[in-house]
Amino acid sequence: MRALLCKDYGGIDALVVDETPSPALKPGEVRVQVEACGVNFPDTLIVAGKYQFKPEPPFSPGGEISGIVVELGEGVEDVAVGDAVIAITIWGGFAEEIAVPAAQLLKRPPSMDPRVAAGFSMTYGTAMHALVQRADLQAGETLLVLGAAGGVGLAAVEIGKRLGARVIAAASSADKLAVAAEAGADEGVNYAETGLKDAVKDLTGGKGVDVVFDPVGGELTEQALRATGWRGRHLIVGFAAGEIPKIPANLTLLKGCAVVGVFWGDFVKREPDANRANFDRLFGWAETGAIKPLISETFTLETASDALRKLAARQALGKLVVDLAKG
Ligand SMILES: NC(=O)c1ccc[n+]([C@@H]2O[C@H](COP(=O)([O-])OP(=O)(O)OC[C@H]3O[C@@H](n4cnc5c(N)ncnc54)[C@H](OP(=O)(O)O)[C@@H]3O)[C@@H](O)[C@H]2O)c1
């Protein structure tokens, strides 16, 4: 099969498309013919050996896929050859075939396009878990989303609206804020031009927000925490800016607020029933058009490295997807 391969931890520029054997099936696994693979920030880290998982090279990056089951491993039940599925794979998705534990599969809703399905689970799964289980976001509360036109950020904007919150989108350009507004954000703050804390305080009449969704980190984290109100919840989702911030602990005391970690990957393993319930709701919203995942660009296996470069250069809007059917 053909695959985008990381032959050493040389980063995006060292990736090559090459022939490689289709992975052997272990008991409990199924072989999936990959239709499409979502592009995510961790893909840029894993190929540089900077992610929490360090697969032995050669390996393919690619953390989430949609595809068709083509072979069942020993002991697999409840899955059939021909099933259309979605899977979180962490790596291995930028390839024509992948072996996935059957227990990790979700059935793809029949009406969902395979490219949309490929880019759905990581972003919406993370944002849903963050806002529902970790923040307990309530209708009528105010939600501030940083990196609001990025993958998880844009999903948080849409889910925040569905849960009845007032959503303030924050991003680094007018184009990105327009994308967030299109997804339902009520207001926008361009933090490349305006101080985040003061702008958010102005928008909330000095009260501050109830919940912050923060996949960016760096110096924005403290500004957003300072713009959090009494009993607020600041969700630590990721560090796309590259810097893990240090937080002045006195701010949490003064605001009676909480800084709350979000680790969707472990939630899926530790609380599979709650995760499935989240996806039942998400698929229902997608089915009725209440959420509309934005795939801004598709790539082929040959151009998949360009997708990773674009994401790393902060140029992606919504989701980028590699379409294996395209070549
Ligand atoms: N905790 C979890 O369970 C979990 C799950 C999935 C993803 N994540 C994490 O969430 C973060 C976002 O992932 P994603 O796939 O949504 O990424 P993405 O689509 O690239 O979005 C990240 C956003 O961060 C902002 N950003 C600020 N500085 C940046 C920089 N130097 N380089 C790139 N982006 C920068 C950008 O928005 P502006 O230009 O508007 O600032 C960008 O839109 C990553 O750190 C990822 O590891 C965590």
Side-chain angles (χ1 to χ4, degrees):
M1 67 168 188
R2 285 179 328 123
L4 181 72
L5 292 175
C6 174
K7 296 191 175 185
D8 53 47
Y9 286 124
I12 300 169
D13 291 339
L15 296 172
V16 289
V17 176
D18 210 345
E19 287 290 328
T20 189
S22 188
L25 278 192
K26 296 188 192 120
E29 289 187 339
V30 303
R31 188 181 312 285
V32 177
Q33 184 189 334
V34 178
E35 293 175 293
C37 182
V39 180
N40 291 286
F41 201 82
D43 303 334
T44 69
L45 302 176
I46 203 166
V47 298
K50 291 182 182 165
Y51 195 51
Q52 52 197 270
F53 301 103
K54 292 191 173 56
E56 187 69 28
F59 70 93
S60 297
E64 57 176 348
I65 58 127
S66 66
I68 304 294
V69 175
V70 291
E71 188 184 344
L72 305 183
E74 199 187 310
V76 172
E77 292 166 4
D78 303 328
V79 180
V81 168
D83 280 356
V85 293
I86 301 176
I88 288 294
T89 57
I90 315 294
W91 69 87
F94 295 128
E96 288 177 326
E97 292 187 343
I98 186 170
V100 187
Q104 276 172 230
L105 299 175
L106 289 171
K107 294 262 166 78
R108 163 156 66 81
S111 64
M112 192 178 268
D113 183 283
R115 287 158 299 191
V116 171
F120 192 82
S121 44
M122 183 96 73
T123 49
Y124 285 92
T126 300
M128 188 77 167
H129 169 52
L131 296 177
V132 172
Q133 281 85 24
R134 304 303 288 135
D136 193 21
L137 179 69
Q138 299 296 311
E141 288 193 315
T142 302
L143 167 69
L144 170 65
V145 179
L146 308 186
V152 293
L154 199 58
V157 168
E158 283 193 287
I159 293 169
K161 286 309 295 176
R162 293 290 73 73
L163 296 175
R166 169 190 174 196
V167 176
I168 302 175
S172 66
S173 73
D175 286 353
K176 289 185 172 185
L177 289 176
V179 165
E182 185 69 24
D186 298 285
E187 284 115 346
V189 175
N190 181 343
Y191 47 58
E193 292 181 348
T194 316
L196 180 67
K197 183 195 97 178
D198 290 341
V200 171
K201 286 273 188 162
D202 284 350
L203 285 170
T204 55
K207 179 173 168 274
V209 296
D210 299 297
V211 175
V212 177
F213 183 90
D214 179 2
V216 177
E219 48 109 22
L220 286 176
T221 296
E222 184 174 333
Q223 285 197 52
L225 185 58
R226 289 184 183 278
T228 302
W230 178 246
R231 284 190 180 236
R233 289 86 77 204
H234 185 124
L235 297 162
I236 302 292
V237 180
F239 312 103
E243 186 204 325
I244 298 175
K246 294 204 165 31
I247 293 166
N250 63 315
L251 292 179
T252 63
L253 180 155
L254 294 170
K255 293 165 181 291
C257 75
V259 175
V260 186
V262 176
F263 190 177
W264 179 65
D266 251 35
F267 168 71
V268 172
K269 286 191 214 130
R270 291 169 187 267
E271 302 178 46
D273 292 343
N275 183 55
R276 276 182 199 280
N278 281 356
F279 273 94
D280 287 346
R281 271 178 103 181
L282 287 167
F283 287 147
W285 285 336
E287 184 85 34
T288 60
I291 54 173
K292 296 192 183 76
L294 171 66
I295 310 289
S296 61
E297 214 172 330
T298 59
F299 296 79
T300 64
L301 207 48
E302 270 65 32
T303 59
S305 296
D306 295 338
L308 295 180
R309 261 181 224 106
K310 196 157 191 175
L311 201 80
R314 211 171 168 176
Q315 290 166 352
L317 296 174
K319 288 294 295 192
L320 308 180
V321 167
V322 174
D323 183 354
L324 276 287
K326 233 169 128 183

